[in-house]
Amino acid sequence: MPEPFLEVVVEADLQRRVGELAAAIDEEYADKEPIFLGVLQGSVPFLADLVRQLRAPVEIDFLALTRFGEEGRVSIALDTAIDLTDRHVVVVEDIIDTGLTLTALHRFLEMRDVASVATVTLLDKAPRRIVDVPLEYRGFEVGDEFLLGYGLDWEGRYRNLRSLWAALDLTILKEDPDALVPLTYGRLGV
Ligand code: IMP
Ligand code: MG
């Protein structure tokens, strides 16, 4: 039987790529005092690492979105604390899958009269895109495997893993959501 879980990006490779993204963003935003807007909860580890590799000062804020069903109706579950009017906003996402969430977020931000919007996503699941949505910065392009760790969850679990894992057989997680725990947690450096 093939391994049901595979470590696909190790911590050092994640951190190296995050550094490259930070350098590219620094070049574009040197004098713009941007707000890094994390989409809760998945963006938190990535955002924390990304902003600490930037050279320029930035502000940080968060919002949470709720998606209803497969048709992709999206509403704001938790709004920002900072007024975004006339600000340069860098949306920080863990993964862009169908693109429905990000498309809705763009519409919300347009209504807020922001100065500009760009998106940085750690992962781009390009083969699953339903709506085309602009992506200015992407860490890795990935296939359609279900990924876990470094922000990404299964039923709320695994977000604090330092590396990225693929679940190759989802029936195993559906039967036992903790199936990946023994392979990861408790092992120093994971
Ligand atoms: P979408 O682009 O609107 O389809 O939604 C993207 C969201 O779906 C992400 O922010 C994740 O919360 C979730 N998601 C998509 N693919 C994965 C995955 O492989 N692992 C964990 N969450 C995922
Ligand atoms: Mg998410």
Side-chain angles (χ1 to χ4, degrees):
M1 213 174 79
E3 288 291 325
F5 300 106
L6 204 64
E7 191 175 24
V8 285
V9 189
V10 298
E11 184 181 4
D13 290 340
L14 282 173
Q15 293 305 328
R16 191 176 314 119
R17 187 70 188 121
V18 171
E20 290 169 359
L21 291 171
I25 293 170
D26 261 331
E27 240 176 70
E28 187 64 36
Y29 285 86
D31 306 314
K32 291 185 175 158
E33 294 174 29
I35 295 183
F36 278 61
L37 182 58
V39 182
L40 292 170
Q41 284 82 13
S43 71
V44 169
F46 174 45
L47 182 143
D49 288 340
L50 182 68
V51 295
R52 286 179 296 173
Q53 296 216 42
L54 294 169
R55 306 262 166 209
V58 299
E59 286 185 74
I60 296 171
D61 205 345
F62 295 96
L63 54 67
L65 300 168
T66 310
R67 219 174 100 184
F68 302 93
E70 287 307 302
E71 81 281 16
R73 207 156 48 81
V74 174
S75 71
I76 296 181
L78 177 76
D79 211 336
T80 61
I82 302 171
D83 179 7
L84 300 179
T85 310
D86 294 331
R87 299 297 304 267
H88 294 283
V89 177
V90 179
V91 172
V92 183
E93 266 281 23
D94 49 1
I95 186 165
I96 308 301
D97 184 20
T98 61
L100 292 169
T101 310
L102 186 58
T103 300
L105 180 53
H106 271 138
R107 275 201 297 274
F108 291 132
L109 293 175
E110 276 162 24
M111 291 189 279
R112 303 277 164 98
D113 293 320
V114 297
S116 71
V117 185
T119 300
V120 53
T121 184
L122 178 72
L123 303 168
D124 178 8
K125 226 179 214 189
R128 286 183 37 95
R129 198 75 87 252
I130 292 175
V131 280
D132 202 23
V133 62
L135 273 187
E136 284 74 12
Y137 307 95
R138 102 194 62 200
F140 301 92
E141 201 173 313
V142 294
D144 64 3
E145 301 86 17
F146 195 83
L147 301 170
L148 297 165
Y150 202 64
L152 296 164
D153 76 306
W154 177 268
E155 294 184 6
R157 295 157 172 87
Y158 308 115
R159 292 194 198 274
N160 66 328
L161 293 177
R162 293 188 196 178
S163 59
L164 201 67
W165 291 72
L168 305 179
D169 181 358
L170 277 185
T171 58
I172 292 179
L173 281 175
K174 283 174 185 160
E175 264 169 41
D176 175 13
D178 290 318
L180 182 55
V181 170
L183 288 172
T184 51
Y185 291 100
R187 237 179 62 195
L188 215 66
V190 171

